[in-house]
Amino acid sequence: MIAHGHDCYPRECCGIMLGTLDGDHRVVTLAMVCKNVYAGDQEDRFQLDPRDQLAADRKARDTGLTVLGFFHSHPDEDSYFSATDLKNSWPWYSNVVMSVRNGQFAVARSFIANEDQTAATPEELHY
Ligand SMILES: [Zn+2]
């Protein structure tokens, strides 16, 4: 995930996280990098390629893993959940946001949106 953040800098990277559920504990064991297909300025926006989303669903079925959430980077910005991120999110899923400053990974935080996408709660993230 970090390498993908570096590779895409100064554009936003994005991807899908698969893994296992252990009660409330989510363990990411596979990160699939996705193509950012946002048609505008990708320095502060991303859009997952729907083909990558289908591939992730297929991968989950084939491996018995669960799609746990999504990740993307914020080039030269902090790792916060923006209004756009909230609007484009789905409830339940983890959303990891990586801050990449001057091409180097700085910090990552994870957020979960509520049901009506009006707020996101940070979740504890170990990496
Ligand atoms: Zn964002």
Side-chain angles (χ1 to χ4, degrees), residues 19-96:
T20 56
L21 279 169
D22 177 13
D24 284 342
H25 200 160
R26 300 170 175 196
V27 181
V28 174
T29 56
L30 179 68
M32 294 179 68
V33 303
C34 296
K35 191 171 174 197
N36 183 351
V37 294
Y38 183 67
D41 184 358
Q42 294 188 358
E43 293 188 9
D44 60 1
R45 199 69 75 85
F46 78 95
Q47 189 181 335
L48 292 167
D49 188 333
R51 283 170 298 192
D52 289 337
Q53 288 180 273
L54 288 174
D57 284 338
R58 238 184 346 257
K59 188 81 175 175
R61 267 201 311 276
D62 292 348
T63 57
L65 297 173
T66 302
V67 174
L68 297 175
F70 308 91
F71 68 93
H72 71 283
S73 62
H74 281 180
D76 296 321
E77 290 287 344
D78 198 8
S79 61
Y80 66 101
F81 210 53
S82 71
T84 305
D85 292 335
L86 187 58
K87 190 168 128 280
N88 294 334
S89 66
W90 289 283
W92 188 85
Y93 291 101
S94 295
N95 297 275
V96 169

